[in-house]
């Protein structure tokens, strides 16, 4: 891959008073200026792809369980233009100072600091495998979504790319088809054996709604978030190195449980099945299966409680989800446990770790009028106790990835 030296984009950002971080969002005009500074001509296509939270249903998507995420108002934005050359030129305000070039003839996975391009290359390759006559394009990404914080920036990057490919070719997919192509890209080009939750949530978000997703049928049922309840995300800003390897180990443990229980996926097992097989499964695999099966049950009860305005049950189920992820699935860490404990001590409706674990974010349900003060208090309390900074922000449920009009 060849790098083109280019310092102009930084200058555009600097002149606009924008630091190269997610903190200060650009507006649409500034993003067009960024594209122009990198590629020296105007863009033709503008898309936005949101990140996602997950209220409950963690580490169950790959066992075809139920999950309850929502797309959120933190985005990856992309401006793009079709080119005649058979290559993709890609630039990200977050990750690169110069555009990378990917020849369409050779979209093999990359390693090292340019590996973020794999998410883009993978999506283009999967669309081509699906028979779409992909074309070359220039693209500039910008983001208000933190990377690697458990808010699915990877799925947002994939969805943004997918929409560009669709706009460039006129071959439009349904949100479900798009999510499946993006998931395949993440598997094969980023090497992450993820479930379908992130891609479906990012593709199918509905403003003001959480999404009940059945990860077997891929049915998405939007469920209105009750008035008066707000969501606060707390980014621990840590990501422990073992996260990726442990993810694969959890999947292997689930597979062992599936074999031993004689079911297709843990979605098909009951808690009684798991308990009856306890000796055969062994302690570790038993606890992994207990987490997945009990968590799926919690999602069902959570959805009912949320709709019925039963905030006490909502809070208890989030607490149980966290405890099970910590003790049965063993994917939490001291930082996440501390953030959940602080949130609970401040009287939130519910709090739990979110995403793959070993760092990333917590999700907190709070009374709307308290949202800003709770967010601030969590940061202050964490700083006082642990001497480290975390970032807390209120998020809102939004529509899924789309072209910007
Ligand atoms: P998460 O999806 O929880 O944010 P992942 O580790 O799955 O965390 O994905 C993060 C990766 O996605 C980054 O390391 C980077 O490769 C890619 N990525 C995310 N956002 C951007 C961006 N704005 N620009 C370029 N690459 C990005
Ligand atoms: Mg991801």
């Amino acid at each position: 891959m060849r790098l083109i030296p280019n310092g102009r984009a930084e200058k555009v950002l600097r002149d606009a008073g924008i630091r190269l971080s997610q903190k200060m969002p650009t507006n649409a005009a500034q993003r067009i200026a960024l594209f122009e500074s990198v590629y020296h001509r105007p863009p033709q296509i503008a898309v936005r792809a949101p990140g996602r939270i997950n209220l409950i249903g963690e580490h169950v998507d790959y066992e075809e369980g139920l999950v309850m995420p929502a797309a959120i108002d933190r985005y990856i934005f992309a401006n793009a233009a079709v080119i005649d050359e058979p290559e993709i030129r890609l630039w990200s305000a977050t990750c690169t100072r110069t555009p990378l070039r990917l020849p369409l003839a050779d979209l093999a996975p990359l390693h090292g600091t340019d590996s973020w391009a794999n998410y883009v290359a993978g999506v283009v390759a999967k669309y081509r495998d699906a028979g779409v006559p992909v074309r070359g394009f220039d693209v500039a990404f910008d983001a208000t979504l933190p990377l690697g914080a458990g808010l699915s920036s990877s799925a947002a990057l994939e969805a943004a790319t997918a929409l560009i490919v669709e706009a460039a070719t006129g071959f439009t997919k349904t949100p479900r088809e798009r999510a499946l192509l993006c998931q395949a890209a993440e598997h094969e080009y980023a090497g992450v054996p993820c479930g379908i939750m992130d891609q479906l949530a990012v593709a199918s978000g509905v403003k003001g709604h959480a999404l009940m997703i059945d990860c077997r049928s891929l049915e998405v049922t939007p469920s209105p978030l009750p008035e008066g309840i707000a969501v606060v995300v707390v980014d621990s800003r840590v990501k422990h190195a073992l996260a990726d390897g442990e993810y694969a180990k959890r999947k292997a443990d689930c597979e062992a449980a599936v074999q031993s229980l004689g079911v297709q996926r843990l979605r098909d097992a009951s808690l009684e099945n798991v308990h009856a097989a306890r000796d055969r499964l062994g302690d570790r695999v038993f606890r992994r299966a207990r987490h997945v099966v009990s968590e799926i049950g919690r999602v069902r009860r959570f959805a009912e409680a949320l709709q019925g305005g039963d905030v006490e049950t909502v809070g208890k189920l989030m607490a149980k989800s966290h405890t099970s992820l910590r003790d049965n699935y063993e994917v939490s860490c001291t930082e996440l446990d501390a953030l959940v404990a602080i949130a609970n001590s401040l009287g939130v409706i519910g709090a739990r770790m979110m995403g793959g674990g070993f760092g990333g974010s917590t999700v907190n349900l709070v009374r709307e009028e308290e949202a800003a003060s709770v967010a601030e208090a969590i940061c202050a309390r964490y700083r006082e106790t642990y001497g480290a900074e975390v970032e807390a922000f209120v998020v809102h449920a939004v529509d899924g990835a789309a072209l910007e009009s």
Side-chain angles (χ1 to χ4, degrees), residues 344-367:
N344 285 328
S345 75
L346 291 168
V348 299
I349 293 169
R352 63 176 205 86
M353 62 153 280
M354 179 178 67
F358 304 104
S361 301
T362 62
V363 58
N364 304 269
L365 283 185
V366 302
R367 287 160 200 85

Side-chain angles (χ1 to χ4, degrees), residues 76 92 94-95 116 119 143 146-155 157 186:
I76 290 185
S92 163
T94 321
C95 288
W116 68 272
Y119 296 96
L147 281 73
L151 298 173
S152 274
S153 67
S154 59
L157 183 58
E186 183 142 352

